[in-house]
Amino acid sequence: MKVPQAGAVAAVIALALTASGCGGNEDDKGTLSIGIKFDQPGIGMRETDGTFTGFDVDVATYVAKELGYKPERIEFKQVYSNDRELLLQYNEVQFVVASYSINEKRMEKVDFAGPYFVAHQDLLTRAGDTSINKPEDLNSKTMCSVTGSTSAENLKKNLAPKAGLLEQSGYSDCLVALQDSRVDAMTTDNAILAGYAARKGNEGKFKLTGQNLSNENYGIGVKKGNKELKRKINDALKKMVADGSWESAVKKNFGENYKYEPAPQITTG
């Protein structure tokens, strides 16, 4: 049996490596699973054509790029307010960018990168309703929020303890309940509410009452203990602010007239 020369063997090995994509080819990365909201206009929205829009989508896409993933290698998965921690714990997603307010209770279960945005809790009412001008006006009325949201908890505990509460799985369901007069107000972050009010078909139907009921620092959730990923995401967020991409994304998704806070200082390093 003829033994092949060393040079021929080396050539065969090199050819095999090239064909298989070994040695740092981008194909080795596979896909990156990111949790986002699918029903928050301006924040995270799955459009009817299957594309994704919103500020959180732009942030997630930018971070993914800095991690080495092109847009076509991102797999967006829908998350709800009450299952974000579970999806991270069971590795269903690598990180969550979903209007995810940083608080001590959540930090017991997950780690956060950021914050990357500051929103304020507000109320959305029907455009012709003049009976709700402050949180206390909800004491004789019914509000809607999503299950697991901190917004309704804040109102019930501190401002309107006698208010009725309808909890829904998504904000879109709350908006339908508000439009159908089954509730009197919808509460969550002003950025989310503004997105719904400005959505095509909703113009002139709803209004924000202009409350600043809380400061919501949005963070990017990662699995507890994954310090390396948190560091890389923080680096990406700093770069996004520095090169102007952050401000461009804010204006594109919330409109030129939206009064937003400057990019917050990252405090989760």
Side-chain angles (χ1 to χ4, degrees):
M1 181 177 179
K2 186 177 180 180
V3 179
Q5 296 182 356
V9 173
V12 171
I13 293 174
L15 182 61
L17 288 172
T18 301
S20 65
C22 296
N25 191 298
E26 191 185 65
D27 291 345
D28 293 340
K29 283 184 172 294
T31 59
L32 180 68
S33 296
I34 305 174
I36 64 169
K37 293 293 183 70
F38 277 24
D39 67 340
Q40 291 182 357
I43 298 286
M45 189 75 185
R46 188 181 190 276
E47 303 293 347
T48 54
D49 62 359
T51 59
F52 298 94
T53 61
F55 180 68
D56 280 352
V57 174
D58 290 344
V59 170
T61 302
Y62 190 100
V63 170
K65 179 195 70 174
E66 293 302 305
L67 294 176
Y69 293 87
K70 293 182 178 179
E72 59 267 24
R73 296 198 175 278
I74 299 173
E75 179 186 10
F76 286 120
K77 291 188 176 182
Q78 185 174 20
V79 299
Y80 298 95
S81 294
N82 60 345
D83 68 2
R84 291 174 290 202
E85 290 85 9
L86 286 174
L87 290 175
L88 288 168
Q89 290 170 357
Y90 288 97
N91 300 311
E92 292 294 321
V93 295
Q94 273 68 58
F95 54 89
V96 170
V97 193
S99 54
Y100 202 1
S101 298
I102 301 172
N103 62 39
E104 292 183 2
K105 184 177 180 181
R106 290 169 177 166
M107 289 175 68
E108 293 175 359
K109 298 179 180 179
V110 302
D111 284 338
F112 284 98
Y116 64 92
F117 190 78
V118 178
H120 303 286
Q121 184 184 349
D122 200 353
L123 303 173
L124 187 73
T125 64
R126 290 180 292 277
D129 188 348
T130 59
S131 66
I132 301 174
N133 300 298
K134 56 186 184 300
E136 291 78 6
D137 293 336
L138 288 171
N139 274 312
S140 60
K141 299 181 181 296
T142 302
M143 62 180 168
C144 185
S145 195
V146 298
T147 304
S149 170
T150 57
S151 298
E153 180 182 348
N154 178 42
L155 281 172
K156 290 284 287 182
K157 182 179 179 180
N158 301 313
L159 299 165
K162 296 181 181 179
L165 173 62
L166 174 65
E167 292 185 308
Q168 297 290 308
S169 60
Y171 290 110
S172 294
D173 296 325
C174 276
L175 194 74
V176 171
L178 179 60
Q179 181 171 315
D180 293 345
S181 299
R182 289 186 284 123
V183 298
D184 302 289
M186 172 178 167
T187 185
T188 186
D189 304 343
N190 56 1
I192 299 171
L193 297 175
Y196 275 108
R199 186 77 171 167
K200 185 177 181 180
N202 290 340
E203 302 97 327
K205 293 182 179 180
F206 308 99
K207 64 177 181 179
L208 278 76
T209 62
Q211 313 295 316
N212 282 347
L213 304 178
S214 67
N215 294 324
E216 303 295 335
N217 292 282
Y218 290 174
I220 296 180
V222 302
K223 189 173 183 179
K224 191 75 173 174
N226 196 340
K227 295 180 180 180
E228 180 65 14
L229 179 58
K230 183 173 76 169
R231 181 188 63 78
K232 290 180 178 179
I233 292 175
N234 277 336
D235 288 344
L237 293 174
K238 292 174 183 177
K239 184 176 179 181
M240 187 178 187
V241 173
D243 68 16
S245 298
W246 182 91
E247 187 170 18
S248 296
V250 171
K251 291 180 177 179
K252 181 185 80 172
N253 289 292
F254 303 128
E256 292 288 339
N257 295 325
Y258 179 75
K259 296 179 181 180
Y260 60 91
E261 300 281 347
Q265 182 177 358
I266 289 175
T267 58
T268 59

